[in-house]
Structure formats: C-alpha cells, structure tokens
Amino acid sequence: MRLADQLIVSLARWNTVCTLSEQVDYRDWLAACYPHWQFVDDFSALRVETVDEMGTNMLSKSGLDYLCWFTPEGVMNTPHEFSTEGLLMIGSSPCGDPLVIDTLGATGLELGFVAHEKLWEDSLPPRKAFQPWPDTLLTFLECIWSQPDYVTY
C-alpha cells in the first residue's frame, strides 16, 4: 500500500476528512523544495480537509490535547529555512512546536518536533532545534491512536 493510502487509513480514525486528488501546485512545490524526497508523489496526493481558517485540522483524542495537521496550503507555508534543512512542516503540537518530517532521514519518514523555544527564543536553525521522535510518521499515528497517553505535554 502506498504512503498516501496508509495515511488516509490512519487519519480516518480521527474522523478527519482525507481525500486523494491530483494537486499539481502542491506536487510542484514539494518537488522543488524537497527534490531528494522519495515520497513527493504520494504525499502530494493527500489532502486533509481543514476545519479552521488557519489551514489546520485539529486531531483530538482523550489524553492528547490535539495535533494540528496542516492542509497542503498550510504545508506550503513551511519556512524556507526549514526546507533548506530537509524539514517538512506538516503540523504543530499543542505547545506550538512545529511537527516535521525529516526528509533527509534514513526512511524519509522520520518524524520530530522543532522546539519553538530553541528556534525562536534562542535563534537556533531548525535542524539544531529538531527533536526527533523515535517513530516514523505511520507508527506515530498508530501509537497515538492506540495508546492514549503516548504523547504527553
């Protein structure tokens, strides 16, 4: 099963509206910013429908405040300093830390957060403020669904 299909299955558990569609502008943006990333085609086909005007989709679950999952428009607002370091911003945590995929990691789906204190208050580059999560994106989504206190803040 390709990545986009796996993400739809995972995100559907959150009662999130996900669709697959050809999004040429999104694909072109991903390919230009992350030409090395093997998942450009799959990821660019995924559209998570937004529930607010900020381009985010709140994934709510008991025991987890929320995760913001960006729509393609939100993802395309990834700051240039993130993309030049191979970090694709796909959302944010409850405390405001950007949720990113490390496209330069071993599998291309390594997940992590960029500590906002280090990024904005200490003025570190995104890669230096990056805090890797021990799971890949798909494992992370599965774990936060099946284990309510898997992520705590």
Side-chain angles (χ1 to χ4, degrees):
M1 184 182 307
R2 66 187 192 144
L3 174 65
D5 297 322
Q6 291 174 306
L7 286 170
I8 282 187
V9 169
S10 291
L11 290 168
R13 293 179 176 173
W14 297 93
N15 296 321
T16 303
V17 178
C18 301
T19 58
L20 288 177
S21 62
E22 187 172 339
Q23 301 172 90
V24 177
D25 291 344
Y26 188 33
R27 192 219 174 282
D28 290 347
W29 179 85
L30 283 169
C33 293
Y34 304 91
H36 58 277
W37 196 37
Q38 62 186 338
F39 296 107
V40 164
D41 288 331
D42 274 346
F43 204 80
S44 68
L46 179 71
R47 178 170 189 83
V48 179
E49 297 301 325
T50 187
V51 295
D52 71 11
E53 67 282 352
M54 298 300 293
T56 60
N57 198 328
M58 303 305 195
L59 305 179
S60 299
K61 181 161 185 354
S62 175
L64 177 69
D65 291 332
Y66 62 85
L67 287 175
C68 296
W69 185 279
F70 292 164
T71 62
E73 294 80 12
V75 173
M76 288 191 289
N77 285 321
T78 295
H80 180 71
E81 57 270 18
F82 279 64
S83 60
T84 58
E85 295 188 11
L87 299 174
L88 175 63
M89 194 164 39
I90 61 168
S92 66
S93 74
C95 68
D97 290 344
L99 174 64
V100 299
I101 295 173
D102 182 359
T103 65
L104 300 175
T107 67
L109 291 175
E110 282 75 18
L111 189 69
F113 294 96
V114 176
H116 71 275
E117 299 92 347
K118 293 179 180 179
L119 182 66
W120 294 305
E121 294 167 23
D122 298 341
S123 300
L124 289 178
R127 178 64 66 179
K128 294 260 189 214
F130 178 65
Q131 305 292 311
W133 193 261
D135 303 314
T136 62
L137 176 61
L138 293 169
T139 303
F140 176 80
L141 289 173
E142 181 62 32
C143 288
I144 60 174
W145 177 257
S146 63
Q147 302 170 33
D149 49 349
Y150 186 70
V151 179
T152 56
Y153 293 93

